[in-house]
DNA sequence: GAACAATACATCGGCTACGATGTATCGCGC
DNA sequence: GCGCGATACATCGTAGCCGATGTATTGTTC
């Protein structure tokens, strides 16, 4: 399955786990979550809903629309909830490394109600952030911001480092809390 | 044209502006630049090269491979260089808002040799980062990290804020330098 | 009362992504 | 001398992306 599809489907499953919603409302929530960075087209959302319905992960009931066309209220099935947890517990590598996808995982990680399973996912992100990697190399050696002439490329490295540090410190704090919760 | 394609093509044009390269070497450079976040498949790169060649943006010469198949050394044409500058000067909105794409733009922005044109692009990013937006809303009001219960969603907001601040401070510094350069 | 925006869903078609697979050469280790 | 990995490029097919467009209703603005 395509990677974008995976993330969109995760968002659909995640939002529906909270409450049954119709497509149009789902669209607005997804737009709020990821739309300011990368908008989702209607013609991408509705086919995705159909796929999930066909796979038995969600069910639809028709309700009269509020001053408009009838709504298709969508509800997660038991398989849908199980699938959501499976996807949250075992995200693909790209869902860990790509910030957009990672944020989507984080947005719904609370649905994975086992603290140690949540911690495992955070640890994968931590391992990724810790490995010494750059955007620019001299042979095999990753270059640091100070070694790059070009101010724009230097900016990339400066910003990436700041993000990395902020996130690592958040990860350490949160993992500490999760481990304490797991010990209860 | 598709958005991913746009970014891949920008990277190809950008790397070739520095020096003629063959496809395999191009692939390694792109992998270094964006691969740790989002790998590019060979079967995506080669068709992209073909598209650009067909559009007259690059030319290929065949050279014997070093212990392997013959290399197709790729060179930017005059139109290719013009097109690169056009794309750098007028990136689509999504190239400004999506961090992955934004970093790709930054990686080659130096090829836009007019400081005030470079500053214009940075200003678009600054305007985006400044607008009050969140990932979560109460009605229309964006929620701040402190107002969110869920520790993972809180994490998203905390990290996004740290990134935003680091980047804004870099943008301000760099814009200052660019404006000084433009005044000369 | 006519246009227009918002609500609400849907399809079509062209293009793109990318895993799988194929082709070919060279060097290295066993 | 045989497999394996690196170099180097290419195609095919499935499936997803998304702009354009369509349909229908209600409320609001000129």
């Amino acid at each position: 399955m395509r990677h974008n599809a995976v993330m969109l489907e995760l968002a659909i499953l995640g939002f529906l786990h909270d409450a049954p919603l119709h497509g149009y409302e789902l669209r607005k929530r997804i737009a709020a979550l990821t739309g300011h960075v990368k908008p989702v087209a209607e013609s991408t959302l509705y086919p995705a809903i159909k796929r999930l319905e066909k796979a038995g992960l969600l069910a639809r009931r028709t309700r009269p629309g509020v001053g408009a066309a009838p709504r298709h209220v969508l509800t997660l099935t038991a398989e849908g909830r199980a699938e959501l947890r499976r996807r949250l517990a075992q995200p693909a590598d790209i869902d860990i490394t790509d910030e957009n996808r990672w944020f989507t995982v984080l947005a719904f990680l609370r649905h994975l109600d086992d603290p140690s399973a949540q911690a495992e996912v955070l640890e994968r992100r931590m391992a990724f952030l810790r490995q010494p990697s750059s955007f620019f190399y001299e042979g095999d050696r990753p270059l640091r911001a100070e070694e790059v002439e070009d101010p724009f490329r230097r900016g990339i490295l400066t910003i990436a480092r700041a993000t990395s540090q902020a996130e690592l410190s958040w990860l350490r704090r949160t993992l500490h809390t999760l481990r304490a919760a797991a010990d209860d």
Side-chain angles (χ1 to χ4, degrees), chain A:
Chain A
M1 203 193 312
R2 293 302 168 280
H3 290 308
N4 287 331
V6 168
M7 271 304 103
L8 179 55
E9 289 178 12
L10 184 67
I12 294 171
L13 296 173
F15 278 125
L16 291 182
H17 192 277
D18 291 331
L21 297 170
H22 56 277
Y24 197 76
E25 176 62 27
L26 203 44
R27 184 173 190 264
K28 287 196 285 182
R29 305 228 178 165
I30 292 171
L33 182 64
T34 60
H36 54 113
V37 167
K38 188 177 184 309
V40 172
E42 275 186 297
S43 47
T44 304
L45 176 62
Y46 288 114
I49 290 173
K50 273 199 179 163
R51 280 201 302 276
L52 294 173
E53 194 189 3
K54 205 174 162 191
L57 304 182
L58 52 85
R60 77 171 71 192
R61 289 166 299 162
T62 304
R63 290 276 174 280
V66 176
R71 293 167 165 176
H72 295 186
V73 177
L74 309 166
T75 320
L76 273 199
T77 61
E79 298 102 288
R81 280 188 294 277
E83 178 67 15
L84 171 62
R85 279 192 286 270
R86 212 185 50 71
R87 294 190 188 199
L88 286 171
Q90 279 137 30
D93 280 342
I94 195 177
D95 304 332
I96 301 292
T97 59
D98 183 334
E99 203 192 37
N100 295 334
R101 297 170 201 279
W102 170 239
F103 276 5
T104 306
V105 170
L106 269 188
F108 301 107
L109 198 58
R110 82 196 128 107
H111 293 319
L112 202 66
D113 30 41
D114 175 13
S116 59
Q118 293 171 331
E120 250 176 70
V121 178
L122 295 196
E123 263 152 15
R124 283 181 63 193
R125 177 73 176 175
M126 188 133 105
F128 165 67
L129 289 178
R130 269 182 172 156
Q131 78 192 359
S133 74
S134 176
F135 295 79
F136 311 105
Y137 292 82
E138 195 177 76
D140 276 345
R141 194 176 60 86
L143 291 176
R144 320 192 81 236
E146 298 76 23
E147 300 173 279
V148 176
E149 239 70 345
D150 174 36
F152 305 113
R153 293 194 163 193
R154 207 166 180 160
I156 294 176
L157 295 175
T158 309
I159 296 157
R161 190 193 286 169
T163 311
S164 210
Q165 278 168 5
E167 186 161 353
L168 278 170
S169 114
W170 175 79
L171 281 168
R172 274 188 284 266
R173 273 181 284 137
T174 308
L175 277 168
H176 194 265
T177 323
L178 286 176
R179 287 195 195 107
D183 287 347
D184 290 346

